[in-house]
Amino acid sequence: MRKQRSRGRVVPAVVAALCAVAALPAQAWAAGEPSPYTFEPSATTVRGAETNTDAEELKPGGTYRDSIKPGGKLYYRVELDAKSNAYVSAMAVPRLGTKVGYADELKVTLQDRDGSSCSYNTARFSSAEYARPIGTYAHRTMEQDSTSCQSQDRYYVLIERTSAATSSSEPWELEIRHLKEPGVKAGGATAAPESWPSSSPATTAGEARDRRGGTSFYSATALEQGEWRDRIKPGETLFYKVPVGWGQQLFASADLGSTAGDGYVSSALTMALFNPARGFVDSASDISYDGEPKSSALDPLPPVAYENRFDSSEDVNGMRFAGWYYLRVSLSPQVKEEFGTKPLGLSLRLTVKGPAKNPPAYAGAPGEFQVTDDDLNAAANGLSTPAAAKSDTMRLVAAAGIGAGTVLVLGLGVWTLVARRRAGAESGTGVGPGHDSGAPTQYGPPAAW
């Protein structure tokens, strides 16, 4: 009976694994049209409240979906302890082709029960006035000498949208994520670094390798150090992610390839960097395009360090933990009007400088704020989150298949042995080499099973 139950578990496991593979989201590439933002399939739909007293709770580790209208103010609540750092990010996704303005923005604020701000950040379209995903985060950071937002209590997340009267009135879809980072044990750093290496590394040697970007944080394609080649269509936004460990320094640049034709598009290509909590860190100078090769790079950023969070500048305190760092690259739809619909060549050069160092003395599991062997493997093989999940699932299917095959082979062996012994017993003759009972051999399970 134990064998039968074990065999019964294997088959459902294989079926479940195959179903999981089939359920993975596919990236639909409509001919001639930019790909849409791929929202995380497991995201929970929430409805932001007009007042904080009606706010729905966001759970740590959860991803949520909502939408926001022009002038909208949406409240959510989070329950925070007195030990952990907390982050709530929001990515706004306007419909492609809708009109946005220079000052159109998304603002995320984390506040206490008195309405005092723990922190806030804004994301704007600025001079690149075309619809694309924009986002940022707010956080509660535990600080030794601070009394603001340090207690265990209920806090509120406020997400606001500001749009010009001339901008489109359609709602922006939202992807919201709430993460918790464990505190550190006593004796950790409490001050921001005063300096760090700021010289750009030498150009990465070797041939550029092809790697197709994803369309969101969830489907971002993993990259390791090197030069990576892709193609980007007018109006398209591509996401990539890079594992950066403690003590490592990230350098990134983007090159836009040449094309035939005459024209000029200001702020044609934008590139922004987001940290593992999906907080905006920095952006490269926008590339204006005239059909000739163009290049832009992020300014040198500090090595990843826990103490970076105590600096007041966004580009320094954003490099506060290890994990996946995301690059968002967008190409203006106006390029289509000036140079046609043909995708342009895109090259990304990445350097992760220095060896990984030991993590801070976290008082709990670091969760997403670390670089694991699986992360490094995903970067080496160019796996997005769904692709990595598919790879893991196929390994499960293979393992389950091997297990089921082994059980089947052993079972057939047992059935054959029992059948031969039974046949021998019926004839009164032992079965062995050179002996045959003359009765037909029975294959399959004994009748009593």
Side-chain angles (χ1 to χ4, degrees):
M1 293 300 293
R2 285 196 296 270
K3 287 182 181 179
Q4 286 183 306
R5 285 196 296 266
S6 177
R7 188 168 63 248
R9 290 191 194 102
V10 171
V11 174
V14 175
V15 173
L18 290 172
C19 290
V21 173
L24 288 171
Q27 291 187 358
W29 300 91
E33 294 294 331
S35 300
Y37 187 90
T38 305
F39 288 91
E40 188 167 329
S42 62
T44 301
T45 299
V46 293
R47 291 288 176 261
E50 294 183 358
T51 64
N52 68 310
T53 52
D54 296 325
E56 291 187 43
E57 184 180 2
L58 306 178
K59 297 286 189 180
T63 303
Y64 300 87
R65 290 187 63 174
D66 202 349
S67 62
I68 188 168
K69 298 178 180 178
K73 293 186 176 183
L74 303 177
Y75 281 95
Y76 312 86
R77 62 183 171 89
V78 292
E79 305 290 338
L80 305 184
D81 58 29
K83 301 176 181 179
S84 307
N85 302 295
Y87 306 89
V88 180
S89 66
M91 179 63 73
V93 187
R95 289 180 56 192
L96 296 175
T98 56
K99 183 175 176 53
V100 297
Y102 181 95
D104 289 6
E105 71 175 25
L106 185 76
K107 182 179 180 180
V108 183
T109 304
L110 183 62
Q111 57 186 213
D112 63 18
R113 288 168 52 214
D114 287 328
S116 299
S117 172
C118 305
S119 77
Y120 70 89
N121 282 292
T122 58
R124 294 188 182 92
F125 289 97
S126 299
S127 57
E129 297 181 78
Y130 51 87
R132 64 189 185 279
I134 62 169
T136 188
Y137 72 169
H139 53 83
R140 189 281 296 273
T141 300
M142 300 302 296
E143 299 186 57
Q144 191 173 28
D145 299 324
S146 175
T147 58
S148 175
C149 299
Q150 303 293 293
S151 63
Q152 178 176 343
D153 208 339
R154 175 170 296 172
Y155 293 80
Y156 296 99
V157 179
L158 174 60
I159 299 178
E160 302 172 83
R161 172 184 169 183
T162 301
S163 294
T166 54
S167 298
S168 298
S169 60
E170 286 90 345
W172 294 347
E173 290 192 86
L174 293 175
E175 185 171 64
I176 304 165
R177 184 133 170 87
H178 174 30
L179 291 177
K180 184 171 71 171
E181 178 196 22
V184 293
K185 298 174 183 178
T190 58
E194 296 182 0
S195 62
W196 60 85
S198 59
S199 58
S200 298
T203 302
T204 304
E207 292 292 326
R209 290 170 283 175
D210 292 331
R211 203 53 72 79
R212 182 61 185 158
T215 60
S216 65
F217 286 117
Y218 172 72
S219 65
T221 300
L223 303 176
E224 61 182 357
Q225 178 171 283
E227 183 175 357
W228 303 98
R229 187 170 51 204
D230 203 347
R231 301 190 71 80
I232 187 168
K233 294 179 285 189
E236 190 170 40
T237 293
L238 299 176
F239 284 78
Y240 309 87
K241 59 182 182 179
V242 188
V244 186
W246 294 103
Q248 294 186 314
Q249 194 171 11
L250 175 65
F251 296 86
S253 66
D255 292 5
L256 193 58
S258 61
T259 192
D262 296 321
Y264 180 81
V265 180
S266 63
S267 300
L269 189 81
T270 68
M271 181 173 71
L273 179 69
F274 296 81
N275 65 25
R278 303 185 181 180
F280 174 80
V281 177
D282 198 12
S283 60
S285 298
D286 293 351
I287 291 177
S288 294
Y289 190 65
D290 60 3
E292 297 297 321
K294 301 295 177 184
S295 180
S296 185
L298 295 171
D299 288 335
L301 297 164
V304 169
Y306 187 89
E307 57 267 27
N308 288 340
R309 67 193 62 208
F310 303 118
D311 193 281
S312 59
S313 59
E314 200 170 39
D315 58 340
V316 176
N317 68 46
M319 304 297 294
R320 60 173 58 200
F321 27 50
W324 288 112
Y325 280 78
Y326 298 85
L327 288 167
R328 184 209 65 200
V329 182
S330 302
L331 184 64
S332 170
Q334 190 181 343
V335 171
K336 176 181 176 181
E337 307 302 323
E338 298 290 331
F339 300 98
T341 60
K342 184 179 179 180
L344 300 180
L346 173 67
S347 177
L348 297 176
R349 293 183 178 183
L350 304 174
T351 299
V352 180
K353 189 177 180 180
K357 297 182 179 179
N358 291 330
Y362 276 129
E368 298 191 28
F369 306 116
Q370 61 179 325
V371 174
T372 67
D373 290 341
D374 285 343
D375 295 336
L376 296 175
N377 177 69
N381 292 283
L383 302 179
S384 62
T385 296
K390 182 177 180 180
S391 177
D392 290 343
T393 301
M394 294 311 297
R395 283 198 295 268
L396 171 63
V397 170
I402 292 171
T406 301
V407 170
L408 181 59
V409 170
L410 291 175
L412 287 173
V414 170
W415 295 335
T416 301
L417 179 61
V418 171
R420 287 179 176 176
R421 287 181 175 176
R422 179 177 295 170
E426 289 174 352
S427 65
T429 307
V431 179
H435 295 81
D436 190 342
S437 68
T441 303
Q442 177 184 346
Y443 295 102
W449 279 30

